[in-house]
Amino acid sequence: MAATNDTRPGGRQLVMSGIRPTGFLHLGNYFGAVRNYVRMQEEFECYFMVADLHSLTTHPDTKELKTNVHRVLSENIACGLDPEKVALYCQSHIFETSELYLYLNMLAYVGELEKTTTFKDKIRLNPENINAGLLTYPVLQAADIILHRAKYVPVGKDQEQHLEMARNYVNRFNHRYGEVFPEPVAFNYGDELIKVPSLDGAGKMSKSENQLATLYLSDEDELIRKKVMKAKTDAGPTAPDSPKPDYIENIFGLMKLVSDNEVIRKFEEDYNKCTIRYGDMKKQLAEDMVRFITPIREKARDIRSNEAYLKEVMEMGAEKARKSARATMTLVREAIGLNYY
Ligand code: TYM
């Protein structure tokens, strides 16, 4: 029986993560996920994919799918991901994922799946398409991860519950059929998983909801300025060292992502002395956001226009991912006892 190795023999530890091609990437995707991918590629064996099968659970119309897949790939590369260093691939190109998903479905209980937060959110938003794929979404995600026997999964805070479910399936599988998989854990450099809030202070930045309160990596400079200037503020604190309301905390939080330390310190001091001018703070934040987003947007646009290159990237990524997937599936079939011919 295979041991629950979390490295290849003599190799580096294994990392896996994915992003759905359901819209434009935003600051939450960057700071929750892609920033970690870029750092991890230097020290781990990494599998990063575009979760196109997952997108079918909520976006059955596939007219925009190819464009969206190309966009996610381009944006990942523009942020610094190197397709030579990692396996950057498309979920649907690796058929072994669907096979593993099927086996894991037998270890997933309907009662648990119905209680998943993302399932409840999605059926609230889309009550006319409550399909079984939506219910078993976390099972497919677990299959993506353990297909490479990955240990570390760089994700934002919203994915914590899915990771916990993946660990449950791993434990059930290992217990029933023998030790094949390591337990995957959500990963972030730094102490905690990240949630990048939306600019209106209500919820998080998102690819498809709340678009005027989300900063996309493809936003033009003027749009970035407009969105930041609209962020909710108030008349300012009336007593020194007051606690900050959530929406003000959010603005400081966004500033911490892109602005220099002295700038943040200055506005913290102004806040504590009740001299803060939110208009100035938002102008500064807008300029720092423009400085951060512009090079990524321009690089992504260039990459996206080169379809032949993107095809090459996908082929190269699929080849690496298939190799790893096939090795795992041999162990899986053997462990389950499907090796009798
Ligand atoms: P998706 O496409 O919604 O998001 C991609 C990544 O971005 C992170 N993220 C955020 N982080 C911080 N703040 C935010 N506002 C924010 N919004 C999104 C997400 O946590 C995620 O890391 N189910 C996954 C896709 C997936 C996957 C996988 C992930 C499919 N298979 C296997 C990891 C491993 C999803 O919908 O991500």
Side-chain angles (χ1 to χ4, degrees):
M1 195 56 56
T4 52
N5 260 348
D6 51 14
T7 58
R8 304 265 179 245
R12 294 173 294 169
Q13 288 202 298
L14 298 164
V15 170
M16 193 281 146
S17 197
I19 301 183
R20 277 170 309 153
T22 48
F24 296 83
L25 295 200
H26 51 76
L27 282 191
N29 300 130
Y30 180 84
F31 287 103
V34 183
R35 177 173 62 168
N36 287 324
Y37 299 180
V38 173
R39 236 175 113 179
M40 292 180 104
Q41 69 183 341
E42 305 301 335
E43 38 175 323
F44 297 94
E45 180 174 325
C46 297
Y47 295 86
F48 296 128
M49 57 109 194
V50 185
D52 53 352
L53 299 178
H54 273 111
S55 77
L56 297 177
T57 61
T58 48
H59 293 63
D61 182 350
T62 53
K63 270 200 303 295
E64 301 290 319
L65 189 56
K66 182 177 170 189
T67 311
N68 283 338
V69 168
H70 282 186
R71 192 196 324 276
V72 174
L73 289 170
S74 310
E75 287 177 332
N76 270 289
I77 299 169
C79 290
L81 209 61
D82 181 349
E84 300 281 341
K85 287 188 183 154
V86 304
L88 179 58
Y89 63 99
C90 233
Q91 186 183 30
S92 63
H93 293 167
I94 314 300
F95 303 151
E96 286 80 1
T97 312
S98 306
E99 185 188 348
L100 185 54
Y101 168 53
L102 179 78
Y103 301 144
L104 294 185
N105 268 315
M106 275 49 121
L107 300 168
Y109 301 116
V110 173
E112 279 169 355
L113 291 165
E114 282 172 340
K115 283 192 216 125
T116 315
T117 309
T118 46
F119 176 67
K120 290 195 283 193
D121 287 348
K122 282 175 183 158
I123 64 174
R124 190 174 36 80
L125 287 171
N126 210 355
E128 69 290 345
N129 183 18
I130 307 176
N131 60 76
L134 205 54
L135 183 69
T136 56
Y137 183 114
V139 187
L140 180 57
Q141 179 160 344
D144 293 329
I145 298 167
I146 69 175
L147 188 64
H148 303 294
R149 299 205 293 152
K151 165 100 181 146
Y152 297 115
V153 186
V155 283
K157 193 154 179 51
D158 59 314
Q159 298 296 313
E160 220 167 15
Q161 190 180 28
H162 288 170
L163 263 294
E164 195 185 314
M165 295 170 86
R167 284 193 290 279
N168 287 340
Y169 307 144
V170 159
N171 287 325
R172 285 175 202 159
F173 186 100
N174 287 345
H175 187 248
R176 187 167 301 171
Y177 300 120
E179 297 278 311
V180 172
F181 299 111
E183 277 190 16
V185 290
F187 181 91
N188 183 49
Y189 284 104
D191 298 338
E192 287 179 8
L193 298 182
I194 286 184
K195 172 184 154 186
V196 177
S198 68
L199 285 164
D200 60 7
K204 60 182 179 107
M205 289 201 183
S206 148
K207 283 196 224 92
S208 40
E209 294 160 53
N210 228 352
Q211 299 193 348
L212 276 175
T214 294
L215 290 168
Y216 296 94
L217 300 179
S218 54
D219 281 348
E220 296 291 339
D221 297 356
E222 272 320 299
L223 185 56
I224 297 171
R225 292 189 180 103
K226 199 170 129 198
K227 286 181 180 176
V228 173
M229 294 314 288
K230 278 201 159 151
K232 180 175 171 188
T233 50
D234 52 27
T238 48
D241 302 315
S242 317
K244 299 186 184 90
D246 284 355
Y247 47 92
I248 299 296
E249 192 69 75
N250 285 351
I251 299 181
F252 275 99
L254 290 168
M255 212 168 210
K256 284 182 191 140
L257 298 175
V258 292
S259 302
D260 295 336
N261 286 338
E262 310 90 84
V263 169
I264 300 161
R265 213 172 305 126
K266 174 203 162 341
F267 286 106
E268 289 277 6
E269 276 170 23
D270 289 353
Y271 181 87
N272 287 331
K273 287 190 281 179
C274 305
T275 55
I276 191 155
R277 292 157 61 121
Y278 288 129
D280 291 349
M281 183 180 184
K282 289 197 279 186
K283 263 189 211 144
Q284 174 76 47
L285 176 61
E287 290 320 306
D288 291 340
M289 282 293 174
V290 166
R291 190 166 49 117
F292 175 78
I293 289 175
T294 303
I296 297 177
R297 181 187 67 226
E298 288 174 357
K299 206 163 167 207
R301 189 180 294 151
D302 288 348
I303 298 168
R304 208 164 63 237
S305 64
N306 190 347
E307 280 208 22
Y309 169 69
L310 290 175
K311 187 163 181 278
E312 238 174 74
V313 166
M314 281 189 278
E315 278 169 3
M316 183 166 63
E319 204 174 302
K320 293 183 206 168
R322 246 176 240 132
K323 190 165 168 233
S324 150
R326 283 182 183 149
T328 303
M329 290 316 291
T330 303
L331 297 174
V332 167
R333 289 182 210 115
E334 205 177 288
I336 298 180
L338 296 167
N339 54 344
Y340 36 70
Y341 70 95

